Amino acid sequence: MIGTPDPKPAIALPSFSDVQTAARRLRDVAHRTPVMTSRIADDRTGASLFFKCENLQRAGAFKFRGAYNAVKALSPADRARGVVAFSSGNHAQAIALAGRIEGVRTVIVMPEDAPPSKVEATRAYGGEIVMYDRYADDREAIAGRLAAEQGLVTIPSYDHVDVIAGQGTAALELIEDAGPLDALFVCLGGGGLLSGSALAAQALSPGCRVYGVEPEAGNDGQRSFRAGEIVRIAVPVSIADGALTTHLGHRTFPVIRDLVTDILTVSDAALVDTMRFILERLKMVAEPTGCLAAAAALADLVPISGLRVGIIVSGGNIDSRALGRLLA
Ligand SMILES: *Cc1c(COP(=O)(O)O)cnc(C)c1O
């Protein structure tokens, strides 16, 4: 537990030891993704930048870490029943793949407008897909009904101790491989990756400033951070389709409130510029959401000159047509 106790019923919060447990579970299953550097990025910022390439993770995003850790942590009875997840894409693929590896049935509730490549990949990993309308239906209610009717265990994409702990292993590896950091930039949707990363950074690189980065249009995290309580917004419109969340979680918010330095925002135009930069300079494909952290670091939103700076490139799932359209 961290921070001041909540006046409401106590809720279990993740700790760094949960991140370490996740790292052990993931050791031979997840890729230890590379950490890349770029002379051009360093020259541009005056900093030493270390890019943790989770776009090269299994199923194309860091989400595999949390999903696999949560599936692996299930009791034998829960494993036998199966899991349900709701996701606009990367968590869906990650849960489906984790289920396939562990022999656990997975049902995925996905929005009808999810990128087709993500729907196809989820199906290919063996996930059973249930579609809903992002702007009309309540996906949590749909997942809840499926869970009740079929006895499935819900694994949410961020507000879950084992999911947060699994996501934290990306920053753990980054700090192990790159050494201590002065600052760490992490993209922010519901806050699973950011809260897990903050736990890892606090334990392994004390004093490291941790910044969450959101799309400008969906700045609920920034507003929540400044207000000191969870602020809910309407479904935002942004090309960062992995960060279209409307609120932080009851488990992610307290960790973010206590351990994160600030929340920054970047525009869709800056995301496109950063996708191009990562493609041309790092020779990698990153999806728009995957570029949030790098976009903030490259945009000089906070002073980083002279610092050792970690950046998590969170995912690379974008089909070639969408990529071409955005970069044209
Ligand atoms: C899910 C996702 C995010 C946001 O992660 P949260 O844990 O919800 O904050 C960022 N980038 C990518 C590529 C994602 O799939």
Side-chain angles (χ1 to χ4, degrees):
M1 294 285 276
I2 55 162
T4 46
D6 209 294
K8 277 168 249 134
I11 161 172
L13 294 180
S15 67
F16 180 61
S17 85
D18 295 319
V19 180
Q20 291 175 302
T21 300
R24 280 193 294 276
R25 289 191 184 123
L26 286 162
R27 190 174 297 140
D28 297 319
V29 186
H31 294 320
R32 189 171 186 107
T33 53
V35 176
M36 306 227 323
T37 57
S38 156
R39 167 68 72 79
I40 290 166
D42 288 357
D43 285 349
R44 202 167 129 177
T45 56
S48 299
L49 303 184
F50 300 92
F51 295 87
K52 176 66 169 168
C53 301
E54 286 296 298
N55 53 324
L56 304 179
Q57 186 51 264
R58 293 186 75 173
F62 72 90
K63 289 280 195 333
F64 178 70
R65 296 173 180 273
Y68 183 82
N69 188 44
V71 167
K72 193 73 186 169
L74 291 174
S75 69
D78 286 344
R79 289 174 78 96
R81 282 196 289 267
V83 307
V84 59
F86 43 88
S87 165
S88 61
N90 288 337
H91 178 63
Q93 289 174 72
I95 286 285
L97 176 57
R100 195 181 66 179
I101 293 169
E102 289 296 310
V104 173
R105 179 187 174 210
T106 58
V107 178
I108 314 291
V109 182
M110 296 185 95
E112 288 159 350
D113 63 350
S117 57
K118 294 187 178 182
V119 180
E120 272 325 300
T122 303
R123 196 172 279 128
Y125 288 133
E128 300 167 33
I129 296 171
V130 176
M131 293 280 188
Y132 76 99
D133 177 349
R134 190 199 287 276
Y135 299 95
D137 303 332
D138 178 352
R139 64 183 190 167
E140 298 186 33
I142 295 171
R145 198 176 61 235
L146 288 167
E149 285 169 3
Q150 305 185 26
L152 304 170
V153 178
T154 304
I155 300 181
S157 67
Y158 57 87
D159 203 21
H160 187 290
V161 167
D162 296 314
V163 171
I164 294 166
Q167 319 304 32
T169 61
L172 175 146
E173 291 176 6
L174 169 58
I175 296 166
E176 282 179 355
D177 292 350
L181 300 172
D182 301 306
L184 175 62
F185 289 78
V186 183
C187 55
L188 171 59
L193 183 63
L194 179 58
S195 53
S197 299
L199 289 167
Q202 186 201 35
L204 299 176
S205 190
C208 175
R209 288 172 236 163
V210 179
Y211 296 99
V213 186
E214 282 181 312
E216 228 166 55
N219 70 337
D220 61 289
Q222 186 182 58
R223 288 165 61 181
S224 303
F225 187 76
R226 306 224 161 129
E229 62 184 24
I230 298 172
V231 173
R232 289 167 184 264
I233 61 169
V235 178
V237 177
S238 164
I239 59 171
D241 59 71
L244 300 183
T245 44
T246 58
H247 56 89
L248 299 178
H250 296 294
R251 291 162 191 78
T252 59
F253 174 69
V255 179
I256 291 168
R257 177 193 61 202
D258 292 353
L259 300 184
V260 167
T261 308
D262 202 2
I263 312 278
L264 313 170
T265 65
V266 300
S267 67
D268 279 7
L271 290 180
V272 172
D273 287 346
T274 305
M275 284 174 74
R276 186 176 290 114
F277 184 88
I278 289 176
L279 185 71
E280 291 178 351
R281 302 302 175 191
L282 298 180
K283 318 298 178 194
M284 298 193 304
V285 173
E287 64 185 276
T289 318
C291 295
L292 282 163
L298 292 169
D300 228 12
L301 298 177
V302 292
I304 56 169
S305 182
L307 303 184
R308 294 169 51 79
V309 178
I311 292 167
I312 298 184
V313 179
S314 58
N317 289 326
I318 181 164
D319 57 58
S320 53
R321 252 201 273 147
L323 184 68
R325 224 182 308 119
L326 285 171
L327 295 181

